[in-house]
Amino acid sequence: MSLILFILFILIEIKIMTLQEKLFSLRDEKYAAFSAKLIPTVPPDQFIGVRSPQLRALAKELRNNASSFLSILPHQYHEENMLHAYLLCEGKKYEIVVEETEHFLPYIDNWAVCDSLAPRVFARHKEELLPRIERWMSAQHEYTVRFGIGTLMRHYLDADFRPEHLGWVAAVDREEYYIKMMQAWYFATALAKQWDATLSILDTLEPWV
């Protein structure tokens, strides 16, 4: 059995290297430098320089054969993390996607990957997703908190809105810039969609937000 696992590991490594080669074949060095300026939390040498439409197209191409790539973390390059997020967006089975999402969240290290992780299957499982959102918003990891607030904003400000959700976001008491920015984004969107309920809570917010 150990030999089988060893061979399987080698095959996975070969597949990942082939995928890295594919990403490098799409490289735009000027775009890599541009992206590095927009995402200062990631070292510049971790950007290959692949544009989002190309990564989305690659995710669609790989979506039925991505389990080995999704299983190996952390990734080496920013674009691999972006591809990981886009692959989860393509997932069809909620139970698998939500578990893969929770596995991936601790490895997210920037706003771009965080905000690109928006699995479409979540829209069909809103009630069972809510307890996870509460847990994400109380996590220690900065981008897990941001992801939780962003998911609440994306799915629960229309027909599934509940006034207590505003309180959940207002209660997040963190100093990290990218969490506060997501809180501000959430409440700006909430004002556009749920004006009366949101207006009543604004004076309770932390002043910076």
Side-chain angles (χ1 to χ4, degrees):
M1 179 61 72
S2 59
L3 180 59
I4 293 173
L5 290 175
F6 175 75
I7 294 172
L8 178 61
F9 178 77
I10 294 299
L11 291 174
I12 289 172
E13 287 293 306
I14 292 172
K15 182 175 292 187
I16 288 176
M17 288 304 296
T18 302
L19 182 53
Q20 282 188 357
E21 291 171 359
K22 173 66 173 178
L23 291 172
F24 272 94
S25 74
L26 300 171
R27 186 176 201 179
D28 180 336
E29 293 188 14
K30 290 184 178 179
Y31 185 70
F34 172 74
S35 298
K37 292 179 181 178
L38 292 178
I39 309 171
T41 58
V42 178
D45 62 0
Q46 291 182 15
F47 290 89
I48 298 173
V50 184
R51 297 175 183 273
S52 292
Q54 295 171 304
L55 291 171
R56 290 182 185 276
L58 186 56
K60 290 182 182 297
E61 178 184 331
L62 297 173
R63 61 187 171 186
N64 294 323
N65 191 30
S67 58
S68 60
F69 173 74
L70 294 176
S71 68
I72 297 182
L73 288 165
H75 297 303
Q76 183 176 358
Y77 293 102
H78 169 72
E79 284 80 1
E80 290 175 310
N81 284 321
M82 290 290 288
L83 180 60
H84 197 125
Y86 290 145
L87 282 166
L88 292 179
C89 291
E90 294 288 329
K92 304 298 183 184
K93 295 183 179 180
Y94 171 77
E95 292 77 10
I96 294 175
V97 173
V98 76
E99 292 302 327
E100 290 285 359
T101 295
E102 295 212 319
H103 181 58
F104 182 47
L105 283 173
Y107 297 95
I108 296 177
D109 59 2
N110 67 84
W111 65 266
V113 174
C114 183
D115 298 353
S116 297
L117 181 58
R120 286 185 283 275
V121 71
F122 283 4
R124 301 195 300 273
H125 297 269
K126 293 180 183 178
E127 194 62 35
E128 57 199 294
L129 187 63
L130 275 173
R132 291 183 186 261
I133 290 175
E134 284 192 271
R135 188 169 71 250
W136 295 334
M137 289 169 59
S138 63
Q140 288 300 310
H141 180 240
E142 176 179 1
Y143 293 100
T144 299
V145 178
R146 181 180 172 98
F147 176 74
I149 299 172
T151 303
L152 196 67
M153 177 181 71
R154 186 174 288 110
H155 294 295
Y156 300 87
L157 282 176
D158 294 300
D160 296 282
F161 171 73
R162 300 176 191 172
E164 59 262 33
H165 296 163
L166 300 168
W168 294 4
V169 181
V172 175
D173 184 17
R174 297 285 289 268
E175 293 301 317
E176 294 95 327
Y177 173 81
Y178 289 104
I179 292 178
K180 287 187 172 183
M181 283 296 293
M182 181 54 79
Q183 286 177 291
W185 185 3
Y186 173 88
F187 283 109
T189 307
L191 279 169
K193 294 188 172 188
Q194 302 290 342
W195 173 267
D196 290 335
T198 307
L199 193 63
S200 67
I201 201 173
L202 285 187
D203 62 358
T204 70
L205 300 181
E206 192 272 333
W208 192 97
V209 174

